[in-house]
Structures are given as structure tokens and as C-alpha cells.
Amino acid sequence: MIEDKIRQVASLIDPLLKNSLSGSDNLHKAALYLPSQGGKRMRAFLVVKSCELVGGDVKLALPAAAAIEVLHNFTLIHDDIMDHDLLRRGVPTVHTLWGVPMGILAGDFLFAKAFNILLSTNVEPDRIRCAAQIMSESAVSLSEGQSMDMEFESKLDVSEEDYLLMVTKKTASLFEASAEIGAIIGGGDPNLISLLGEYGRNLGVGFQIFDDYLGLTSKEEILGKSIGNDIREGKKTLIIIRSINSPLRERTLSLLGKRYASDEEIAELVNALRREGIDDYVLKKAKLHIDLAIRALSILPDSPAKQDLVELARYAISRIK
Amino acid sequence: MIEDKIRQVASLIDPLLKNSLSGSDNLHKAALYLPSQGGKRMRAFLVVKSCELVGGDVKLALPAAAAIEVLHNFTLIHDDIMDHDLLRRGVPTVHTLWGVPMGILAGDFLFAKAFNILLSTNVEPDRIRCAAQIMSESAVSLSEGQSMDMEFESKLDVSEEDYLLMVTKKTASLFEASAEIGAIIGGGDPNLISLLGEYGRNLGVGFQIFDDYLGLTSKEEILGKSIGNDIREGKKTLIIIRSINSPLRERTLSLLGKRYASDEEIAELVNALRREGIDDYVLKKAKLHIDLAIRALSILPDSPAKQDLVELARYAISRIK
């Protein structure tokens, strides 16, 4: 089972995270809180498996895998502040517990630690420089993507292309970086690094489309966060963009950005979306990107690592949370 | 004049900053806004002069100098959000103009860019790795120092030692990193790097003690920000710690943390502080650290770069803003 394999990598990464982030004051507690609540560790798995695929020593990729998870958790903490989200992984968000100033600071601390951990990797300096450069480029993209996501909240004419560019920056860039960094640390050649990057990018787009879908169609007790918040926040996810451009336009607009829309109102709209077939359309789009991810690996010879990456891609759009 | 020399380095750095940060959307505008308002560029000067002192090619240190300024500006933007400050460099703060979410994001973007710029330095990868590691450690310290600064706001029993540890992390660590990074890029040996680090750390402590002093005794039109905000925010600067532990204790406590304390109330307390000789004590402490900074360089042979660093240290506690 791919989930067991991901958990196995997580069990190697989590002690590294705790070691790097622990401390007795509020800053360290606030910074370690979200990574301690779990999370899927898909990005860490991707780093490790990319390293394995290019024939590298997997042990050497563990700090990079931890670094990517630390960076990811930094973005979640800041995004939750910007989006005023109260729940994440079934528990209150960092700024809800420690206040906005400490939330900002905990994120900054994790950002710094992510580079600190990656740069301590025990491989040739040129590989480390290259991996760190990719992480910094990805961090630039993450902020640009989050900016687009926020700007879209006050726009109605967001196209599917706009959405794809936004999620490529906001989500896929870190999946792409994870795959590339694993391959670089493993000593992969530029061709392999590029193929794995393409795999990671498409995986990330498919993952995010599916994530947006779950955020509207799953249940709070499964997902660990409120259902329909994308609608309440006026987000322009693919499912919402399709809905705006369907006979459901007026119904969608009447709920979009309505902070206090009830769970019933959200559920009624979701049912209507299903009747229009919008959920099917969105799932198909997610699947298309997962297929592109898998296709990027098709010219590579079969190997256990390749098989794991294929399964990871399928898992990304079949998971329930 | 040292100020002219600093301006000269600034004129080399500023085009690099603009080039790296420019863009047409709100994120890029918000990110470039503060660096465009000037700033002294003392840290950039320190990077360049440390590189020169160890005999390195100064041109190669310019990206690192720009990176340090970008990192510094990131911390200012986030600190202003956390401290609810409305003015900086005589203009409204980033979050005042673009809102808190975009302020957080502009800071994150600058943080990522700082690493991006530093990692693009055209020297041997092991020097870059080492410089980036120092920058990441400094960024960890900056967040720890800011956390201490915030925690001190709700404490009265903050000692001078606590204050020194806080400013060493919050301010001096970036001066120390600037000096070390310049020396590393210039190919300095470990002894030189360590001496320059000691210089930078003491310079940073002296700078911050003097900065806190200016923040209470200067004028808004000179300083570019409100006078006495440290008192209004309940900050524990050295001058305030001394004041709490003086016959002025009750008067100080009656204003400390009072958000709407008037300019007149602040001015009256400052006059009383002067009569107690607390301003002299604080200036002496600042001077002590500046002397320690200069002494760290004393075993080095005379050179124009050494002379510039000595003058920079003296400038740090004689500037008027």
C-alpha cells in the first residue's frame, strides 16, 4: 500500500523535524505545533523517491525531505492567517492559538529553518547550492501564487488558465521542487531531473484540483477543516470557476464571498453542482494532470521507485483527506 | 566622509534590488516599496567592506550585499505588522497601504528572494553554501530575537542581560552575518571571518542600543517614525529597563504600554530620564560595544577597508537617524 510507504518515510522525517524545531519558548512551540499534527508528508516522500529513482543514497535525502515539509508548514501557517482560517488538520490554526504576530513569526522561523536544514545536507556543495536555489525559486513562486489566489477573491472573470497558472505557482512549484531536489541530491543527470520536475509539477496541479474538490465535497470530520470555506472566502477554484460559467452562476454568486454562508446553503449548491456534472469535469481535469505526471516517467525503465511514484500520483486523486 | 562611501555602495546595490524585485502586480509593488524608500544600507556596506578587507573581489560581494538588505527589509515589514507600526522611513508602512495579508506575503517574497539572490553569487559552491548557511542561521536568530522582544512587552522584570541577548539575536546577528558573508565570499580564512563576525556582532549591539536611544530622544521629522513608540508598545529597551529600575519607576510604568500616550507625556518622561543621567548611561553602553567592535579589528594591519569599518562603527552611534 502506497499509504504505508508514505507513512514509513514520514517516520524517518518526523524525528528530524522535532529535533530541528524543538524549544521551550512560545516561538518554538508555535512553530512545532502544526508539523506535529501530522500531515501527509507526500512532498517528503517525493524527495526521497526521486533520490532513489536516480540511484542516490536515500539517507542523504532525508534532511531535504524534512526541509521541504518545514517550508510547506510555513506556507500553511501564513496562508491560514491571510485566509482567516480557524481549523487545519482538525485542530485550531496557529494564529488562533498564539495570535497573529506569533503566527507570522512561527512561519518566518520555519522558513529560515527550512533553508538551514537543507543547507546542512551532507553532499557536494554544488548539489546543495543547486538544491537550495531551486527551493528559493519555489518559495518565490509560492508567494506569487498565494498573491494571485488572494487577488482572485475580488475578481469574477478568472479563467481556467488563470487558475492553472495560480495553482502551478501556489502548489505545484513545491512538488516540482521536491522532485528536482531529491534527484539533484541523488546525483541524477539533468535529463532525469527535468523529467522528475515535470512529474512533480503535474502531480501538484492534479493534487490541488482534487484538494479544492475535496474542500467542497468532503466532510469536516474527515477533512479536518470546514467544508465550503473556498466559497465563503470568494476563492476561484476550478469547481467555482466552472460553476460561475454555468446555469448556476446566480446561485454561486449569491454565496461567493459570503463569510457566514451556512453549511446547508453550501451543501445545496454542491448538490446542484453535481447535477450539472461540474464535479465530474473537475475530477477529469485532475486525472488529466495525474496522467501527464505518470507519462513524464514513461520513458524510464521500470524500478521500485518509479512504481512508487506512479502509485503516489494515483493516490493524490483518490485520497479522502 | 563615511556617509558618502556608504551611499556609493548603496548606488551599486539599489539597481540590483530593483532588478530582482520589480514586477507589475501588487505583490511586487508591495515588496519593492520599502527598499525603494532608501534605508541606510549599512549592512550592504559591511558585506562589501568585509570582502574588501580579506582581499576579495568586491564585485562578487554585491549580490550578497543586496541579499542582506532584502532580508533586512523583509524583517522590517513583518516587524511593523507585529508591532502595529504605521510609519517607517517617513512613509506609511507596507501593511498600512496594502493590508496585513499582502504585508505578510511581501515579506515572505523578500525572504525567498534574499536566498535566491545570495545563491546566485558567482563564486565556488562551497563558499556559497557556507554564506547561505550563515544567512539562514541569522534568519533563525532574527525570529528568535523578535519573539523575545514581543514576550518582553508583557514582562516587567527584564534584565539588561536579557535585553543584550535579545538585541544580539534580533539585530546583531544580521550585522555579524553580513561581515562573515562578505569575508567568506572574499575567500577570507576562518580567523579573519571570525574577527569580522565579532566586529559585526558588537557593531550591531551598539547600533541597536543607539537606535533605541534615538527612538526616544530624536524628532519624528528626522527619524521618519513616531517618537516614543517603544514606550507605547511596552518595549523593554535598555533606556526603559534603566528607567524602570530608577526613581522614575512609577512614572515610567504609568506610560509603559499605554497605546495612546501623548507626545507631551513622552517628552516629559524623556526630560526626567535626562535629569537622572539615564541617557548618558545608555550612550556609554552603546559606545562600549562600538569600542569592542573596533578592538576586534585591532590586530589586523591597517588598510583602507579596515579604516572604513572603524569609521562605520563610529558612524553607527553618531548618526541622527
Side-chain angles (χ1 to χ4, degrees):
Chain A
M1 279 280 288
I2 187 72
E3 282 182 86
D4 295 329
K5 290 181 177 177
I6 298 174
R7 260 194 295 273
Q8 211 179 324
V9 167
S11 73
L12 299 173
I13 300 302
D14 288 356
L16 274 181
L17 290 181
K18 274 215 178 92
N19 255 335
S20 312
L21 307 177
S22 287
S24 58
D25 60 357
N26 275 327
L27 174 65
H28 289 84
K29 281 182 201 156
L32 186 58
Y33 167 78
L34 185 60
S36 300
Q37 303 298 335
K40 294 177 283 295
R41 310 277 188 250
M42 283 177 65
R43 294 162 189 80
F45 187 73
L46 182 45
V47 173
V48 167
K49 287 293 155 182
S50 293
C51 177
E52 185 186 330
L53 188 136
V54 303
D57 179 351
V58 162
K59 275 198 307 298
L60 296 176
L62 295 180
I68 290 282
E69 289 293 334
V70 170
L71 190 78
H72 173 54
N73 276 272
F74 136 68
T75 66
L76 296 180
I77 293 174
H78 280 194
D79 286 2
D80 284 341
I81 298 174
M82 296 180 225
D83 293 341
H84 309 282
D85 280 326
L86 304 178
L87 272 184
R88 158 93 58 191
R89 296 175 186 162
V91 293
T93 47
V94 173
H95 69 280
T96 311
L97 293 175
W98 279 275
V100 168
M102 193 54 90
I104 294 174
L105 208 53
D108 293 346
F109 173 82
L110 291 176
F111 198 168
K113 279 285 182 184
F115 278 98
N116 204 238
I117 297 168
L118 178 65
L119 289 160
S120 69
T121 301
N122 189 20
V123 297
E124 293 85 331
D126 61 328
R127 289 190 195 172
I128 299 181
R129 193 203 66 78
C130 190
Q133 188 62 290
I134 285 170
M135 192 158 93
S136 75
E137 280 161 11
S138 172
V140 169
S141 283
L142 295 174
S143 64
E144 289 173 344
Q146 170 69 3
S147 167
M148 291 176 73
D149 197 18
M150 292 195 310
E151 303 261 46
F152 288 176
E153 287 173 20
S154 54
K155 286 175 69 177
L156 279 183
D157 58 335
V158 177
S159 68
E160 295 192 21
E161 289 69 31
D162 294 334
Y163 169 84
L164 281 177
L165 178 61
M166 183 272 283
V167 299
T168 298
K169 284 174 172 282
K170 186 187 154 100
T171 305
S173 74
L174 192 56
F175 280 88
E176 184 178 4
S178 301
E180 290 175 347
I181 288 171
I184 287 165
I185 287 172
D189 70 41
N191 255 340
L192 268 180
I193 296 167
S194 164
L195 282 177
L196 281 162
E198 197 186 327
Y199 162 87
R201 191 173 59 257
N202 279 297
L203 168 63
V205 173
F207 170 89
Q208 187 59 56
I209 294 175
F210 189 73
D211 204 59
D212 292 344
Y213 167 82
L214 283 183
L216 210 47
T217 61
S218 181
K219 290 190 164 59
E220 178 169 329
E221 57 272 26
I222 296 172
L223 208 58
K225 58 186 176 189
S226 306
I227 299 303
N229 273 357
D230 285 341
I231 292 182
R232 293 187 180 95
E233 292 165 8
K235 296 279 186 204
K236 300 303 175 305
T237 64
L238 186 55
I239 204 164
I240 293 168
I241 292 169
R242 287 297 286 187
S243 187
I244 292 173
N245 294 294
S246 80
L248 297 173
R249 180 181 178 86
E250 292 312 317
R251 268 179 86 171
T252 310
L253 296 186
S254 74
L255 284 188
L256 210 57
K258 203 173 141 188
R259 278 254 154 223
Y260 300 101
S262 70
D263 291 347
E264 290 69 31
E265 287 174 299
I266 300 285
E268 277 171 28
L269 179 61
V270 171
N271 283 332
L273 288 171
R274 288 189 195 278
R275 284 191 299 270
E276 287 290 325
I278 291 174
D279 56 340
D280 283 343
Y281 175 86
V282 165
L283 285 177
K284 239 177 239 162
K285 277 276 171 185
K287 191 171 178 311
L288 172 76
H289 285 278
I290 295 305
D291 287 342
L292 287 172
I294 293 171
R295 200 175 306 164
L297 305 180
S298 61
I299 63 161
L300 303 177
D302 280 341
S303 70
K306 176 179 166 180
Q307 192 51 39
D308 285 343
L309 288 177
V310 169
E311 281 178 40
L312 175 66
R314 290 193 184 122
Y315 167 70
I317 54 165
S318 61
R319 67 204 163 86
I320 58 165
K321 64 175 185 174
Chain B
M1 279 279 289
I2 188 70
E3 282 182 85
D4 295 328
K5 289 181 177 176
I6 298 174
R7 260 194 295 273
Q8 211 178 325
V9 168
S11 73
L12 299 173
I13 301 302
D14 288 356
L16 274 181
L17 290 181
K18 274 215 178 91
N19 255 336
S20 311
L21 307 177
S22 287
S24 58
D25 60 358
N26 275 326
L27 174 64
H28 289 84
K29 281 183 202 156
L32 186 58
Y33 168 77
L34 185 61
S36 300
Q37 302 298 333
K40 294 177 283 295
R41 311 278 188 250
M42 284 177 65
R43 295 161 188 82
F45 186 73
L46 182 46
V47 173
V48 167
K49 287 294 154 181
S50 292
C51 177
E52 186 186 330
L53 187 137
V54 303
D57 179 350
V58 162
K59 274 198 307 297
L60 296 176
L62 295 180
I68 290 283
E69 289 293 334
V70 170
L71 191 77
H72 173 53
N73 277 273
F74 135 68
T75 65
L76 296 180
I77 293 174
H78 279 193
D79 286 1
D80 284 341
I81 298 174
M82 296 180 226
D83 293 340
H84 309 282
D85 280 326
L86 304 178
L87 273 185
R88 158 94 55 193
R89 295 177 186 161
V91 293
T93 47
V94 174
H95 69 280
T96 312
L97 293 175
W98 279 274
V100 167
M102 193 54 89
I104 294 174
L105 208 52
D108 294 346
F109 173 82
L110 291 176
F111 198 168
K113 278 285 181 183
F115 278 98
N116 204 240
I117 297 167
L118 178 65
L119 289 160
S120 69
T121 301
N122 190 21
V123 297
E124 295 85 330
D126 62 328
R127 291 190 194 171
I128 300 181
R129 193 203 66 77
C130 191
Q133 188 62 292
I134 285 171
M135 192 158 92
S136 75
E137 280 161 12
S138 172
V140 169
S141 284
L142 295 174
S143 65
E144 289 172 345
Q146 170 68 3
S147 168
M148 291 176 74
D149 197 18
M150 293 196 310
E151 304 261 44
F152 288 175
E153 288 173 22
S154 54
K155 286 175 70 179
L156 279 183
D157 58 336
V158 177
S159 68
E160 295 193 22
E161 289 69 32
D162 294 335
Y163 169 84
L164 281 177
L165 178 60
M166 184 271 284
V167 299
T168 298
K169 284 174 172 281
K170 186 187 154 99
T171 305
S173 74
L174 193 56
F175 280 88
E176 183 178 7
S178 301
E180 291 175 346
I181 287 171
I184 287 165
I185 287 172
D189 70 41
N191 256 338
L192 269 179
I193 295 167
S194 165
L195 282 176
L196 281 163
E198 198 186 327
Y199 163 86
R201 191 173 60 257
N202 280 298
L203 168 63
V205 173
F207 169 88
Q208 187 60 55
I209 294 175
F210 189 74
D211 204 59
D212 293 344
Y213 166 83
L214 283 184
L216 210 46
T217 61
S218 182
K219 291 191 164 58
E220 178 169 328
E221 57 273 26
I222 296 173
L223 208 58
K225 58 187 176 187
S226 305
I227 300 302
N229 273 357
D230 285 341
I231 292 182
R232 294 187 180 94
E233 291 164 9
K235 297 279 186 205
K236 300 304 175 306
T237 64
L238 186 55
I239 203 163
I240 292 168
I241 292 169
R242 288 296 287 186
S243 186
I244 292 174
N245 294 294
S246 81
L248 296 173
R249 181 182 177 87
E250 293 311 317
R251 267 179 86 170
T252 310
L253 296 186
S254 74
L255 283 188
L256 209 56
K258 203 173 141 189
R259 278 253 154 225
Y260 300 101
S262 71
D263 291 347
E264 290 69 30
E265 287 174 299
I266 300 285
E268 277 170 28
L269 179 61
V270 170
N271 283 333
L273 288 170
R274 287 189 195 277
R275 284 192 298 271
E276 287 291 324
I278 292 174
D279 56 339
D280 282 343
Y281 175 87
V282 165
L283 285 178
K284 240 176 237 160
K285 277 275 173 187
K287 190 169 178 314
L288 171 77
H289 285 278
I290 294 304
D291 287 343
L292 287 173
I294 293 171
R295 198 176 306 163
L297 305 180
S298 62
I299 63 160
L300 302 178
D302 281 340
S303 70
K306 178 180 164 179
Q307 193 50 41
D308 285 343
L309 289 177
V310 170
E311 282 179 38
L312 174 67
R314 291 194 183 121
Y315 167 70
I317 54 166
S318 61
R319 65 203 164 88
I320 57 165
K321 64 176 185 174

